[in-house]
Amino acid sequence: MYTFVLLCTAVGIAAAAGSSTGTVACASERSKVCLVKSLNGGGAPEWPDLSIRTQLQVASGHLKMLSRPMTDRMQKLRTLQLEGLKLESVFVRANFEELRLSGNAIVNLTTDPQDISPPPYRLKVLDLRSNRFANVSQLAPFRKLVELLLDGNAISVLEMGPFQGMTGLRRLSVAGNRIGRVVSTLSPPLVLGELVHLSLASNRLQELDMGTWQLPSLENLQLNDNQLTELAGLRNFDQFVSLARLNLVGNRWSCPWLTGALADAATIVLERSPPAECSIEQVAGVCCQFPTAPSGSAEQLFVPETRIAREKLRKIEALQEKLPGEWDLLLKQFEAKLQDQLNKALSVETPASAPVTLEDVEKLRGELNTLVEHATELEDAMTQNVQNEKRLLHFIIDMKNRLLSQAIEMDALVASLSSDWIELTRRFN
């Protein structure tokens, strides 16, 4: 009986141990890719011999942690694809070159202790989309990164310092996080000479200073769906000499700032706001707004003038849209009239005493061409005048808002001084 109890106990212990670990096998014995169809349990699996493999891919299952001891058989691997396994922590070996880890719950990427000389990490591609990652300082050792995808994580403060040493980085995307602040390096300025794509889209940014960023290869910049009003230290986008695509929609841009910033952006493809989402204020198809003054009774001073200016702007835009069609119609009517006169002149009823010569026809055609050229010049002048008037209206409204803000500040200062004077008088009396 005692022996039977011991035997049952031993079986139970073995069964419990088997529930946390399990032997896995590659789907193919000869392929360079080890495809594991499923991991069971979530404990530390017993990996197969990976000495001839260059890639490990787990199709499904549950793995809570990839610790350093668990990677002892992965010294030859270059690519790991461990997506959707509920991973929370991953140890990154120096020999890993590509990590596909999207759709997990990763908080930490661990490396060798930093109190010893760190190994030269070969990691070039890191896909951490849709995890719980928040601390970008953990990425500093990976200086050879070329592609870094951090979309859909829990980053609230984006420190640019860890990216400073990634001289070969070409793609950086941190879209869909909770970023409310970007901390730039002060000295030396941020230099990413190979960066082609940068996305800060769909975050919570209200301020962004890119004035000292040196990104000579940047072609695609995504800043859409934040709360930005302007980019501090950036007068226009000329400093990004290779910029070809720019997305600014879904922000709270200041119309005066946006007008100046996009003044020389003719060669840049701009994403445009959907017409239904825009108020009357827009620049190059991007919604914007005029600066609002602080609340107070004085803010009503220029409401009538502002309303009149905006109504006039609506009429100008309507006229600008209507004018080309009307000119085309008038020209067609005039051309038809001239053609009718020419037909009558050339008809058999024309008296022989007043024949129509080829010279008369050419003269009539020349007059028509001159009229067309004059109409085109007039249309171009009208378009230019409309643009100038729109700029003037924007400027007037902006100046009124600034004046209003200054008036409110002066009122507050006068009230403060009066209060101080009353208090001073009370103390001396």
Side-chain angles (χ1 to χ4, degrees):
M1 181 66 179
Y2 179 72
T3 304
F4 176 75
V5 172
L6 287 178
L7 181 59
C8 290
T9 304
V11 171
I13 294 174
S19 66
S20 60
T21 62
T23 302
V24 296
C26 302
S28 173
E29 295 182 359
R30 297 183 179 182
S31 173
K32 293 290 185 180
V33 179
C34 175
L35 172 61
V36 177
K37 294 184 177 180
S38 180
L39 285 180
N40 297 319
E46 185 178 341
W47 300 107
D49 180 13
L50 300 172
S51 59
I52 64 168
R53 315 286 183 168
T54 60
Q55 180 175 343
L56 172 63
Q57 178 180 351
V58 179
S60 64
H62 180 197
L63 180 63
K64 185 175 182 179
M65 175 186 298
L66 184 67
S67 62
R68 178 174 182 174
M70 293 168 62
T71 66
D72 287 343
R73 293 191 177 187
M74 302 180 181
Q75 298 181 16
K76 301 293 184 180
L77 288 179
R78 294 198 296 269
T79 302
L80 266 70
Q81 186 170 340
L82 308 174
E83 299 176 318
L85 302 180
K86 301 182 181 179
L87 275 165
E88 297 178 7
S89 178
V90 173
F91 175 77
V92 182
R93 295 189 63 88
N95 52 282
F96 293 164
E97 295 181 8
E98 184 173 340
L99 288 178
R100 301 287 180 179
L101 305 172
S102 64
N104 286 291
I106 296 173
V107 176
N108 294 312
L109 292 180
T110 59
T111 56
D112 285 317
Q114 297 300 306
D115 56 349
I116 62 175
S117 178
Y121 289 95
R122 302 176 188 174
L123 192 61
K124 294 181 180 180
V125 177
L126 178 57
D127 183 355
L128 273 178
R129 289 174 296 174
S130 302
N131 280 277
R132 300 176 184 173
F133 191 75
N135 186 4
V136 296
S137 63
Q138 296 180 16
L139 306 173
F142 311 130
R143 293 176 172 266
K144 294 187 178 181
L145 274 173
V146 175
E147 181 174 326
L148 178 57
L149 306 178
L150 299 171
D151 303 354
N153 277 275
I155 303 170
S156 58
V157 177
L158 181 65
E159 297 183 8
M160 302 303 294
F163 308 124
Q164 182 75 296
M166 302 176 188
T167 55
L169 189 62
R170 293 179 56 82
R171 182 180 179 88
L172 173 60
S173 184
V174 291
N177 278 269
R178 308 169 186 171
I179 301 173
R181 187 162 61 98
V182 175
V183 181
S184 301
T185 56
L186 298 177
S187 180
L190 179 68
V191 180
L192 293 173
E194 300 297 322
L195 191 66
V196 173
H197 176 94
L198 173 61
S199 178
L200 296 167
S202 302
N203 281 287
R204 303 174 182 178
L205 289 170
Q206 297 183 14
E207 298 179 357
L208 180 61
D209 188 347
M210 304 177 69
T212 60
W213 292 13
Q214 298 180 23
L215 312 175
S217 301
L218 186 66
E219 297 178 4
N220 193 334
L221 178 59
Q222 305 288 314
L223 298 175
N224 51 290
D225 299 310
N226 281 282
Q227 302 170 30
L228 294 165
T229 56
E230 61 182 66
L231 300 178
L234 187 71
R235 296 183 58 186
N236 53 50
F237 292 93
D238 285 351
Q239 73 180 68
F240 306 130
V241 294
S242 301
L243 193 61
R245 300 193 68 87
L246 178 62
N247 194 340
L248 301 173
V249 303
N251 283 279
R252 302 172 180 175
W253 298 112
S254 161
C255 290
W257 181 87
L258 194 61
T259 301
L262 298 179
D264 299 320
T267 61
I268 300 175
V269 177
L270 278 169
E271 296 291 337
R272 297 180 178 271
S273 303
E277 296 182 7
C278 250
S279 63
I280 188 171
E281 296 88 5
Q282 57 176 293
V283 175
V286 179
C287 297
C288 62
Q289 58 189 9
F290 292 102
T292 56
S295 60
S297 58
E299 68 180 351
Q300 302 299 322
L301 287 174
F302 299 113
V303 168
E305 291 85 350
T306 302
R307 186 181 298 112
I308 292 172
R310 290 183 177 176
E311 184 61 32
K312 191 173 183 181
L313 185 59
R314 290 191 185 95
K315 293 179 179 179
I316 289 174
E317 290 178 340
L319 177 62
Q320 188 178 14
E321 293 177 358
K322 184 180 179 181
L323 184 63
E326 290 189 348
W327 271 116
D328 289 341
L329 180 61
L330 288 174
L331 288 174
K332 288 179 180 178
Q333 292 175 348
F334 183 75
E335 184 178 5
K337 182 177 181 180
L338 289 178
Q339 186 65 46
D340 182 62
Q341 292 179 356
L342 180 61
N343 292 337
K344 290 180 178 180
L346 295 176
S347 66
V348 295
E349 299 176 358
T350 303
S353 59
V356 177
T357 65
L358 182 61
E359 182 180 355
D360 293 334
V361 175
E362 292 296 333
K363 182 179 179 181
L364 187 61
R365 183 177 298 168
E367 292 176 355
L368 176 60
N369 291 337
T370 301
L371 180 61
V372 171
E373 292 176 359
H374 178 69
T376 302
E377 293 174 358
L378 188 61
E379 181 181 353
D380 292 341
M382 182 64 181
T383 301
Q384 186 62 43
N385 288 337
V386 168
Q387 292 177 350
N388 292 337
E389 189 165 356
K390 286 178 67 176
R391 292 194 184 99
L392 181 59
L393 285 171
H394 283 164
F395 177 77
I396 290 174
I397 295 174
D398 183 46
M399 289 299 102
K400 285 183 176 180
N401 282 331
R402 291 175 184 268
L403 180 60
L404 174 58
S405 179
Q406 292 293 327
I408 292 174
E409 291 180 4
M410 288 297 295
D411 287 343
L413 181 60
V414 170
S416 177
L417 290 175
S418 299
S419 177
D420 292 342
W421 176 256
I422 292 173
E423 178 64 20
L424 186 63
T425 304
R426 185 186 65 79
R427 289 185 178 182
F428 277 95
N429 292 332

